[in-house]
Amino acid sequence: MSEIKLKPCPFCGSTDVVSCPGGERGGGRAWLMYYVACNACGCTGPIIKTRGRAGDAKAARDASINLWNWSVNDH
């Protein structure tokens, strides 16, 4: 399956945007949350939290990217 491409920042138009993991990570467990951030203006998208189960991290990452990309479409 292919990676979801991040759209430019809806505020400043920069393409310097990244998907960011957050929270505690230990004992081989996945990150607890994901969000998208613009490195140019510092804005961030919604934080999507996981429950720490297998597959949750990818689902949270994909959801945070989808929400970011949705906001770029002027909804």
Side-chain angles (χ1 to χ4, degrees):
M1 186 172 273
S2 63
E3 288 289 314
I4 302 170
K5 184 177 178 179
L6 286 162
K7 292 186 178 179
C9 177
F11 298 102
C12 72
S14 173
T15 57
D16 187 12
V17 294
V18 293
S19 176
C20 304
E24 296 294 322
R25 181 178 173 181
R29 292 181 301 216
W31 293 99
L32 297 178
M33 67 179 104
Y34 278 86
Y35 61 96
V36 174
C38 175
N39 288 322
C41 72
C43 76
T44 61
I47 294 172
I48 306 298
K49 295 181 180 180
T50 72
R51 292 189 175 120
R53 295 185 302 222
D56 281 354
K58 182 178 180 344
R61 181 183 179 279
D62 290 353
S64 69
I65 293 171
N66 285 330
L67 285 168
W68 175 269
N69 287 344
W70 179 79
S71 70
V72 174
N73 289 324
D74 298 324
H75 288 93

